[in-house]
Amino acid sequence: MSNHKLLLYCNYLLPKKEWLLAVLMLLFSANQLSAQGKEIKGIVTSAQDNLPLPGVNIMIKGTKTVAVTGFDGEYIIKASPNDVLVFSFIGFQNKEIAVGGQSKIDAALTEDTNKLNEVVVIGYGTQKKSDLTGSVSVVNLESAKKTVTYDAAKMLQGQVPGVTVQSSGEPGGFVNVKIRGITSFTNNNPLFVIDGIMVDAPYDFAPGEIESMQVLKDASSAAIYGVRGANGVVIITTKKGKAGRMDIKFKSIVGLQDVAKKWDVTDRVGYQTITNEAERNRDLRAGVPVSIAPGNNPASPSYISNVDTDWQKEGLQTGVVQNQTLTFGGGAESIMYSFNVDYFKNTSYFKTPQDYERLSTNLNLNGKKGKFKYGAKIAYTQSDKEIFNEYNVGQTAISDLLGAIPTMPVYDSNRLGGYGGTDNLTQRAISMNPIGYNNLIENTGKRNRFIGDIWGEVEIVKGLKYKLDVSYDRTDWQNRKFMPPSDLGWYYITTNDEASLDVANGNELRTFMNNILTYEVSLGKHKIEALAGWIQERRDNYNHWSKGVGYEPGEISMLQYADSRDAGETKFTITGISYISRLNYSYDDRYLLQANFRQDKTSLFSEKNNSANFYSFSGGWKISNEKFLKLPDWISNIKLRGGYGTLGNNTIPQYFFASTVNSFAGYDFNNELAPGTTVVAALDPNVKWEKTSSANVALELGFLDNDLQFTAEYFTKKVTDILVRVPLPFSTGAFPADIFTNAGDMKNHGLEFTASYSNHHHKFKYDISANFGTLKNEVTKIGVNGNPLYGAVSKTEVGRSVGELFAWEAIGIFQNAAEVTSSPTQTGAAPGDIKFRDVNNDGIITDADRTFQGVSIPKYGFGLNFSASYSNFDFSMFWQGSGGNKVFNAMYRNLMIGQYTNHHVDELNYWTPTNTNTNIPAPVIGDPNGNARDSNRFIESGDYVRLQTMEIGFNIPLNDKFIQKAKVYINGQNLLTISKYKGYDPDFNSEGLLSRGYDGGSFPNPRTISLGVEVSF
């Protein structure tokens, strides 16, 4: 019907006075129909697996009209035939489709393999990867998440050059991370930033909820964090909700863990053979009748022949690790959500109650309304860790297990507690029963952590935005250790009077308020981004402890039942204020400049030293974008970047600038006690920040549309004003007789290389990436006089690396008395003993004859990733390793000392007058020559190559609207280690900064075989 006829019809039907209104309504409807166009429907899928893509933006080109796909990939938008629809989604290439006469338009998006277009998170903002001028490494999360772990820090191992990770097989154990070497003698762990919230470690956060992870390695990228960034920064972003229908994902993985390698220790016969020989040699050298321990003497009625305990078999079991995750996500543009529940439990491979269990929840909210963006985060974690017990410092459950003698039973109903032990008269052996010790003692650590964060951002004018971010981070803990009366044999007896209960309760509250102003503007070829901010921080710590002593067997382990009680409490507050700024400038997408500045002020230092300024400058040149260059098509990118900056480190205890005195100290004056005051601990009132300056330069190359990428980088880090302990005269009255002050300098430098190749152009798709990094550390100053620092079998001195191994050098075995007499003097030496080198040629073996035996810090580290997929199958493997360092195998030394503890089978080849072709000394009780002293006998190479993870998966083909995706897979971790190291694991956790190469019995990383399933609804 024509518009003219329609008007006549309306005129006939409607009263005259309504005619004008009808015409207006008709014209308005026609105009609306013309403006909105017709309704277009469709589904957006991934070209790789044909699965629907939720959250895809569909925009009418040249307009602000936008639609978003729902969970099933469907969308509806109104457009005219002349319009062009632009489909865009992060990680995929944009696609444009002309509407024409179509009413249904489906789109299959292709993955964007050009990683230079990736947007990465940097300090207080984001930046396109191709525009980075600092050293920022993006972690390959697809590979990293295949490491089954409770701690996201473990996922970094081998993934990024310049990052060293040390961990252990202890359930819930701490993970040590070092970025580009050591920069302090106090704390070298990096700062972790999770969704903008600064934390010391990601221990309480579920790794499966992570969406991206970046490592800021140099001052150019980390200077915005000032005093917190000296050790590098790891930025973690968790998953956010996307607009669309509710997205539900479930993941479950269950694995079995065991220790892949066993120590070769002696059985009962071997143990008795060596121990008897050691007692015989002791008595023969002393010229007294030979006395053999009755339990080891076949001629004695007390001879033990019916006990032959294999402690590794009895103490080690198959552990279980499990992780279940349920995630909900969805919403609309005004409010989007992602809620995650994560349960993790690790049953130890040690046959004791020392397990780790954690429940984590995380809710992220974000949305947009006009020019206002907002969001919030609520996270809660509850964890429970059973703690292994150490009788003496450094005496671990693993060292006790290996040193336990085979003539001691695991269980003994005649002893209080029901566990076996040794007898001083029968066996003469002080030997710990680690199974009994760790089962009898109740030692638990409980943590509850709550994080709340809320932020809002408003665009004041075009390009100018203000953001307010307030966070609340509270951790509550309770540690409880009950040591009941028990009898675990000679030396390890706990009497009723010694039985004790220790309870510690505390909490820490950390609050941050960030005020950030940003401005972005483009003026032709010039692009400017500016940031300025004001940050307030407060940390409140409270700890209360109570101790009860004296319990009867079977008595309730509560403080009120103790015979005596004691208690105490501590409380402190640390505050800080920071001012930050950053300026980014680019010209014509060719020249890049960035400048950062931060001023920090903290209550950790005295008023005159509590402020410090940190800055950085960096630049980049996209050589491949120069118009005068005529590069072949296969060269996609050439970029040169470099930078310089300063950072700080304030990881010292609170009030460490104020000396402590005892005002109740009396002194003798003319035989009368007079009141007085004395210094308890001397502290330097001028203590200040440790400062790090770093510089780096890098070349980035891309080929074949950036399918092939390569980066080479050189860096150097210099640290000044390192806090070290300097000796004081005893006349000061301070105890200990030293002072903690800024008196050390250090430097690190190295090369880092990364290479990757992606081929997603065929049905068989694969990715290969590799990284390699070198590191050299040198101490340039210690104290005023350069006095060295000593650790466990280590010495740190000017001109050398931190914690270099320092020991005597064994050069053979004395074969006869004449050789002993003609050699440099060794107190207690006899034929069959170790001969040590006289380094200073003074004719006597002393401490001065120790010499450096190798660096304990790996000189290089590497990682290699390979992943592939074909049809519904996928496969991946990840190799990792390090080398160039030496390790002091203290556990091997402890098994080779020839005393009353158990022995390594190597010692069965000990020297005798008829067995001289050996390097194993004759065992002697008391070891008068010091054969077991720190020497190169126990120093080994720390080199290793490890198949860290391998996974095979199958995507189950489905045609179900309810279940969108289902995958099953089998995962192997720590499957193969190539190393000459005699110990359990060359990759052991050593927390001592000066004793990094000392393995005194660490928990080995277990071999894990897991079965997993992932389902998306």
Side-chain angles (χ1 to χ4, degrees), residues 44 140 305 310 467 501 712:
V44 183
N140 181 351
S305 60
D310 183 341
K467 181 178 181 180
L501 172 65

PDB file of all heavy atoms in Angstrom, residues 44 140 305 310 467 501 712:
ATOM      1  N   VAL A  44      28.583 -16.669  16.032  1.00  0.00           N
ATOM      2  CA  VAL A  44      30.026 -16.477  15.852  1.00  0.00           C
ATOM      3  C   VAL A  44      30.753 -17.652  16.490  1.00  0.00           C
ATOM      4  O   VAL A  44      30.511 -17.995  17.658  1.00  0.00           O
ATOM      5  CB  VAL A  44      30.503 -15.150  16.485  1.00  0.00           C
ATOM      6  CG1 VAL A  44      31.984 -14.941  16.208  1.00  0.00           C
ATOM      7  CG2 VAL A  44      29.687 -13.983  15.941  1.00  0.00           C
ATOM      8  N   ASN A 140      53.587 -17.989  29.252  1.00  0.00           N
ATOM      9  CA  ASN A 140      52.713 -18.854  28.463  1.00  0.00           C
ATOM     10  C   ASN A 140      51.849 -19.664  29.430  1.00  0.00           C
ATOM     11  O   ASN A 140      52.230 -20.721  29.913  1.00  0.00           O
ATOM     12  CB  ASN A 140      53.555 -19.785  27.590  1.00  0.00           C
ATOM     13  CG  ASN A 140      52.704 -20.697  26.717  1.00  0.00           C
ATOM     14  OD1 ASN A 140      51.491 -20.769  26.866  1.00  0.00           O
ATOM     15  ND2 ASN A 140      53.352 -21.397  25.804  1.00  0.00           N
ATOM     16  N   SER A 305      69.325 -59.296  65.151  1.00  0.00           N
ATOM     17  CA  SER A 305      69.316 -59.943  63.838  1.00  0.00           C
ATOM     18  C   SER A 305      67.914 -60.062  63.263  1.00  0.00           C
ATOM     19  O   SER A 305      67.750 -60.459  62.111  1.00  0.00           O
ATOM     20  CB  SER A 305      69.933 -61.350  63.938  1.00  0.00           C
ATOM     21  OG  SER A 305      69.181 -62.155  64.848  1.00  0.00           O
ATOM     22  N   ASP A 310      63.757 -51.055  56.362  1.00  0.00           N
ATOM     23  CA  ASP A 310      64.020 -50.225  55.180  1.00  0.00           C
ATOM     24  C   ASP A 310      63.210 -48.949  55.377  1.00  0.00           C
ATOM     25  O   ASP A 310      62.011 -48.896  55.098  1.00  0.00           O
ATOM     26  CB  ASP A 310      63.584 -50.960  53.912  1.00  0.00           C
ATOM     27  CG  ASP A 310      63.888 -50.174  52.641  1.00  0.00           C
ATOM     28  OD1 ASP A 310      64.096 -48.939  52.729  1.00  0.00           O
ATOM     29  OD2 ASP A 310      63.914 -50.787  51.562  1.00  0.00           O
ATOM     30  N   LYS A 467      40.639   7.308  38.485  1.00  0.00           N
ATOM     31  CA  LYS A 467      40.304   6.004  39.047  1.00  0.00           C
ATOM     32  C   LYS A 467      40.651   5.981  40.528  1.00  0.00           C
ATOM     33  O   LYS A 467      41.752   6.357  40.933  1.00  0.00           O
ATOM     34  CB  LYS A 467      41.072   4.886  38.323  1.00  0.00           C
ATOM     35  CG  LYS A 467      40.756   3.487  38.837  1.00  0.00           C
ATOM     36  CD  LYS A 467      41.512   2.435  38.032  1.00  0.00           C
ATOM     37  CE  LYS A 467      41.173   1.026  38.523  1.00  0.00           C
ATOM     38  NZ  LYS A 467      41.904  -0.016  37.750  1.00  0.00           N
ATOM     39  N   LEU A 501      52.867 -27.322  74.999  1.00  0.00           N
ATOM     40  CA  LEU A 501      51.898 -26.856  74.009  1.00  0.00           C
ATOM     41  C   LEU A 501      52.208 -25.401  73.682  1.00  0.00           C
ATOM     42  O   LEU A 501      52.284 -24.561  74.577  1.00  0.00           O
ATOM     43  CB  LEU A 501      50.472 -26.973  74.551  1.00  0.00           C
ATOM     44  CG  LEU A 501      49.365 -26.334  73.694  1.00  0.00           C
ATOM     45  CD1 LEU A 501      49.241 -27.036  72.350  1.00  0.00           C
ATOM     46  CD2 LEU A 501      48.026 -26.349  74.432  1.00  0.00           C
ATOM     47  N   ALA A 712      66.719 -11.055  21.828  1.00  0.00           N
ATOM     48  CA  ALA A 712      67.999 -11.156  22.528  1.00  0.00           C
ATOM     49  C   ALA A 712      68.146  -9.913  23.404  1.00  0.00           C
ATOM     50  O   ALA A 712      67.880  -8.793  22.949  1.00  0.00           O
ATOM     51  CB  ALA A 712      69.157 -11.254  21.542  1.00  0.00           C
TER      52      ALA A 712
END
